[in-house]
Short mmCIF file of all heavy atoms in Angstrom, two decimals:
data_model
loop_
_atom_site.label_atom_id
_atom_site.label_comp_id
_atom_site.label_asym_id
_atom_site.label_seq_id
_atom_site.Cartn_x
_atom_site.Cartn_y
_atom_site.Cartn_z
N LYS A 37 1.89 11.51 12.38
CA LYS A 37 2.86 12.42 11.91
C LYS A 37 2.09 13.80 11.53
O LYS A 37 1.06 13.72 10.99
CB LYS A 37 3.59 11.95 10.64
CG LYS A 37 4.74 11.24 10.77
CD LYS A 37 5.45 10.99 9.57
CE LYS A 37 5.65 9.59 9.17
NZ LYS A 37 6.18 9.29 7.84
N HIS A 200 1.23 5.73 -3.69
CA HIS A 200 2.32 6.79 -3.76
C HIS A 200 1.79 7.80 -4.73
O HIS A 200 2.67 8.61 -5.31
CB HIS A 200 3.64 6.20 -4.34
CG HIS A 200 4.36 5.31 -3.37
ND1 HIS A 200 5.23 4.35 -3.78
CD2 HIS A 200 4.58 5.36 -1.99
CE1 HIS A 200 5.84 3.86 -2.74
NE2 HIS A 200 5.36 4.46 -1.71
N HIS A 228 9.67 6.25 -7.71
CA HIS A 228 9.58 6.47 -6.20
C HIS A 228 10.21 5.33 -5.47
O HIS A 228 9.41 4.23 -5.35
CB HIS A 228 8.13 6.70 -5.73
CG HIS A 228 8.00 7.04 -4.32
ND1 HIS A 228 7.62 8.19 -3.81
CD2 HIS A 228 8.30 6.19 -3.32
CE1 HIS A 228 7.55 8.14 -2.50
NE2 HIS A 228 7.95 6.96 -2.05
N ILE A 229 11.41 5.33 -5.16
CA ILE A 229 12.10 4.08 -4.64
C ILE A 229 12.47 4.40 -3.14
O ILE A 229 13.60 5.06 -2.91
CB ILE A 229 13.33 3.76 -5.49
CG1 ILE A 229 13.08 3.84 -7.04
CG2 ILE A 229 13.78 2.27 -5.12
CD1 ILE A 229 11.89 2.88 -7.51
N GLY A 230 11.72 3.98 -2.37
CA GLY A 230 12.00 4.07 -0.76
C GLY A 230 12.09 2.75 -0.36
O GLY A 230 12.37 1.75 -0.97
N ASN A 231 11.61 2.47 0.98
CA ASN A 231 11.45 1.25 1.45
C ASN A 231 10.34 0.54 0.68
O ASN A 231 10.37 -0.55 0.27
CB ASN A 231 11.18 1.24 3.04
CG ASN A 231 11.77 0.33 3.74
OD1 ASN A 231 12.28 -0.81 3.16
ND2 ASN A 231 11.73 0.27 5.04
N GLY A 232 9.14 1.29 0.59
CA GLY A 232 8.13 0.91 -0.36
C GLY A 232 8.59 1.56 -1.68
O GLY A 232 9.20 2.68 -1.68
N ALA A 233 8.15 1.02 -2.77
CA ALA A 233 8.67 1.46 -4.09
C ALA A 233 7.68 1.32 -5.22
O ALA A 233 7.12 0.19 -5.21
CB ALA A 233 10.08 0.92 -4.43
N GLY A 259 11.96 -2.96 0.04
CA GLY A 259 12.72 -3.32 1.22
C GLY A 259 12.47 -4.61 1.83
O GLY A 259 13.33 -5.49 2.06
N LEU A 294 14.38 -7.09 -0.55
CA LEU A 294 16.00 -7.00 -0.25
C LEU A 294 16.21 -7.74 1.14
O LEU A 294 17.25 -8.44 1.14
CB LEU A 294 16.37 -5.61 -0.15
CG LEU A 294 16.87 -4.82 -1.36
CD1 LEU A 294 17.48 -3.58 -1.03
CD2 LEU A 294 17.96 -5.71 -2.06
N ASN A 301 17.20 -4.82 4.76
CA ASN A 301 16.27 -4.07 3.80
C ASN A 301 16.92 -2.81 3.41
O ASN A 301 16.31 -1.99 2.69
CB ASN A 301 14.85 -3.94 4.39
CG ASN A 301 15.00 -3.02 5.62
OD1 ASN A 301 16.08 -2.61 6.07
ND2 ASN A 301 13.90 -2.52 6.22
N ASP A 302 18.08 -2.47 3.90
CA ASP A 302 18.66 -1.09 3.71
C ASP A 302 19.70 -1.15 2.45
O ASP A 302 20.64 -1.93 2.61
CB ASP A 302 19.33 -0.62 4.98
CG ASP A 302 19.51 0.94 4.86
OD1 ASP A 302 20.09 1.29 3.91
OD2 ASP A 302 19.20 1.45 5.84
N VAL A 303 19.33 -0.41 1.54
CA VAL A 303 20.23 -0.40 0.22
C VAL A 303 21.69 0.01 0.67
O VAL A 303 22.68 -0.41 -0.02
CB VAL A 303 19.69 0.51 -0.84
CG1 VAL A 303 20.65 0.84 -1.79
CG2 VAL A 303 18.33 -0.01 -1.32
N ARG A 304 21.84 0.99 1.66
CA ARG A 304 23.23 1.33 2.13
C ARG A 304 23.99 0.10 2.58
O ARG A 304 25.12 -0.01 2.09
CB ARG A 304 23.19 2.34 3.24
CG ARG A 304 22.77 3.72 2.88
CD ARG A 304 22.49 4.62 3.93
NE ARG A 304 21.22 4.13 4.62
CZ ARG A 304 20.40 4.88 5.26
NH1 ARG A 304 20.72 6.02 5.58
NH2 ARG A 304 19.14 4.49 5.70
N THR A 307 24.84 -2.13 -0.51
CA THR A 307 25.90 -1.46 -1.24
C THR A 307 27.25 -1.60 -0.62
O THR A 307 28.30 -1.97 -1.31
CB THR A 307 25.55 0.04 -1.55
OG1 THR A 307 24.27 0.14 -1.99
CG2 THR A 307 26.58 0.65 -2.44
N TYR A 324 16.93 -6.96 -7.57
CA TYR A 324 16.33 -5.47 -7.38
C TYR A 324 16.44 -4.66 -8.62
O TYR A 324 15.29 -4.10 -9.02
CB TYR A 324 17.05 -4.85 -6.20
CG TYR A 324 16.66 -3.62 -5.61
CD1 TYR A 324 15.58 -3.63 -4.56
CD2 TYR A 324 17.14 -2.35 -5.94
CE1 TYR A 324 15.14 -2.48 -4.03
CE2 TYR A 324 16.72 -1.21 -5.40
CZ TYR A 324 15.69 -1.27 -4.33
OH TYR A 324 15.24 -0.25 -3.81
N THR A 348 13.15 9.60 -7.12
CA THR A 348 12.66 10.23 -5.76
C THR A 348 12.68 9.20 -4.64
O THR A 348 12.86 7.95 -4.84
CB THR A 348 11.37 11.03 -5.96
OG1 THR A 348 11.24 11.85 -4.79
CG2 THR A 348 10.22 10.03 -5.94
N ALA A 349 12.48 9.70 -3.42
CA ALA A 349 12.31 8.89 -2.16
C ALA A 349 13.75 8.42 -1.67
O ALA A 349 14.76 8.68 -2.38
CB ALA A 349 11.49 7.82 -2.30
N GLY A 350 13.85 7.80 -0.53
CA GLY A 350 15.04 7.46 0.05
C GLY A 350 16.11 6.77 -0.80
O GLY A 350 17.29 7.24 -0.85
N VAL A 351 15.83 5.79 -1.50
CA VAL A 351 16.83 5.12 -2.37
C VAL A 351 17.03 5.94 -3.75
O VAL A 351 18.09 6.28 -4.07
CB VAL A 351 16.39 3.65 -2.74
CG1 VAL A 351 17.29 3.04 -3.76
CG2 VAL A 351 16.13 2.83 -1.54
N GLY A 352 15.88 6.32 -4.40
CA GLY A 352 15.94 7.25 -5.60
C GLY A 352 16.72 8.43 -5.45
O GLY A 352 17.46 8.82 -6.42
N ASN A 354 19.00 9.08 -3.03
CA ASN A 354 20.40 8.78 -2.52
C ASN A 354 21.31 7.74 -3.01
O ASN A 354 22.59 7.89 -2.78
CB ASN A 354 20.18 8.60 -1.09
CG ASN A 354 19.54 9.73 -0.23
OD1 ASN A 354 20.09 10.79 -0.29
ND2 ASN A 354 18.39 9.56 0.41
N SER A 355 20.80 6.76 -3.75
CA SER A 355 21.56 5.70 -4.00
C SER A 355 22.13 5.84 -5.75
O SER A 355 21.48 5.47 -6.63
CB SER A 355 20.96 4.35 -4.01
OG SER A 355 21.76 3.28 -4.56
N ALA A 356 23.39 6.43 -5.73
CA ALA A 356 23.90 6.53 -7.11
C ALA A 356 24.07 5.13 -7.71
O ALA A 356 24.00 4.87 -8.96
CB ALA A 356 25.14 7.22 -6.93
N ARG A 381 26.61 14.55 -4.36
CA ARG A 381 25.46 14.71 -3.40
C ARG A 381 25.04 16.33 -3.37
O ARG A 381 26.03 17.12 -3.27
CB ARG A 381 25.77 14.10 -2.06
CG ARG A 381 26.15 12.64 -2.12
CD ARG A 381 26.38 12.18 -0.74
NE ARG A 381 24.96 12.21 0.01
CZ ARG A 381 24.04 11.23 -0.29
NH1 ARG A 381 24.29 10.30 -0.84
NH2 ARG A 381 22.92 11.41 0.46
N GLU A 404 5.59 14.98 0.02
CA GLU A 404 4.11 14.43 0.06
C GLU A 404 3.20 15.56 0.95
O GLU A 404 2.17 15.71 0.54
CB GLU A 404 4.01 13.12 0.54
CG GLU A 404 4.54 12.15 -0.57
CD GLU A 404 4.74 10.73 -0.14
OE1 GLU A 404 5.79 10.41 0.64
OE2 GLU A 404 3.88 9.73 -0.36
P1 LIG B 529 9.63 4.87 3.22
O1 LIG B 529 9.12 6.24 3.11
O2 LIG B 529 9.07 3.95 2.08
O3 LIG B 529 9.65 4.14 4.52
P2 LIG B 529 12.02 6.13 2.46
O4 LIG B 529 11.61 6.78 1.13
O5 LIG B 529 12.32 6.91 3.66
O6 LIG B 529 11.14 4.85 2.77
O7 LIG B 529 13.41 5.29 2.19
C1 LIG B 529 14.06 4.52 3.07
C2 LIG B 529 15.28 3.77 2.28
O8 LIG B 529 16.11 4.63 1.61
C3 LIG B 529 16.21 3.05 3.37
O9 LIG B 529 15.68 1.81 3.80
C4 LIG B 529 17.43 2.84 2.55
O10 LIG B 529 17.42 1.73 1.85
C5 LIG B 529 17.42 4.13 1.55
N1 LIG B 529 18.39 5.04 1.69
C6 LIG B 529 18.41 6.18 2.59
N2 LIG B 529 19.52 6.83 2.56
C7 LIG B 529 20.32 6.12 1.60
C8 LIG B 529 21.57 6.47 1.06
N3 LIG B 529 22.37 7.53 1.48
N4 LIG B 529 21.99 5.62 0.11
C9 LIG B 529 21.39 4.47 -0.25
N5 LIG B 529 20.17 4.23 0.14
C10 LIG B 529 19.54 5.16 1.12
#
Side-chain angles (χ1 to χ4, degrees):
K37 268 193 237 172
H200 288 151
H228 178 117
I229 318 298
N231 215 349
L294 269 187
N301 67 349
D302 195 311
V303 167
R304 280 167 292 204
T307 309
Y324 187 83
T348 196
V351 179
N354 295 302
S355 176
R381 301 188 65 85
E404 288 164 287

